[in-house]
Amino acid sequence: MIGSNVVVAGCALALAVAVGLVAHEWTHAAVLRLARVEYSVSYFPGRPDGVLALLTTRPWAAVYPRPTGGEPPWTLRLAALAPALLAVPVFGLAAAGYVTTDTPVVAAAAIGWLACALPSPQDFSVAFHAHRLLERSPEPNAAAPSRAD
């Protein structure tokens, strides 16, 4: 019986990480949309050789903000740190007593989801250096560059 629990918990962990990675990027996009900052979302950016390399060496999704330079830096900072909000439901379930060692499948899924709630090093870089990103942005009245690549 313990073998099947480990397999199911491992599958729950993998599923939670897969869904959490996409949810992580969607939280960035949601905050950018609310702040009316242009952005683009790319799923499986880059194309390394093989499926295993695609899944392990590249991000599964990425959000690329395209600020005009007229936005306040706090909007980019908030968008960069927004994935931390993904931890709120897990903490709520834990406080309600649903995430325990008695339920290893739920605990494994919670661990996978919490791993995706951590802002990445790139997220922290944007949070700390948002003003530099805005300084490099085109002028607010300038024509947007073509995205036909």
Side-chain angles (χ1 to χ4, degrees):
M1 184 68 178
I2 193 154
S4 64
N5 281 347
V6 171
V7 170
V8 172
C11 291
L13 176 69
L15 181 64
V17 169
V19 172
L21 287 173
V22 176
H24 176 106
E25 297 302 327
W26 283 354
T27 58
H28 292 307
V31 172
L32 290 172
R33 178 176 294 261
L34 289 173
R36 294 188 176 113
V37 176
E38 291 289 324
Y39 65 92
S40 62
V41 179
S42 176
Y43 295 99
F44 296 108
R47 302 236 177 351
D49 295 332
V51 174
L52 185 61
L54 177 67
L55 294 176
T56 59
T57 62
R58 298 282 182 199
W60 290 15
V63 174
Y64 302 103
R66 294 189 309 259
T68 60
E71 298 87 355
W74 66 266
T75 58
L76 293 179
R77 289 183 175 116
L78 187 61
L81 299 177
L85 293 175
L86 292 174
V88 172
V90 176
F91 290 145
L93 289 173
Y98 291 107
V99 181
T100 65
T101 56
D102 295 335
T103 56
V105 175
V106 175
I111 290 168
W113 188 261
L114 283 174
C116 296
L118 294 172
S120 67
Q122 292 89 354
D123 296 341
F124 282 113
S125 177
V126 170
F128 289 122
H129 303 290
H131 59 284
R132 291 184 189 167
L133 179 64
L134 292 172
E135 288 171 0
R136 288 185 282 153
S137 297
E139 292 299 316
N141 296 330
S146 173
R147 299 290 295 174
D149 47 281

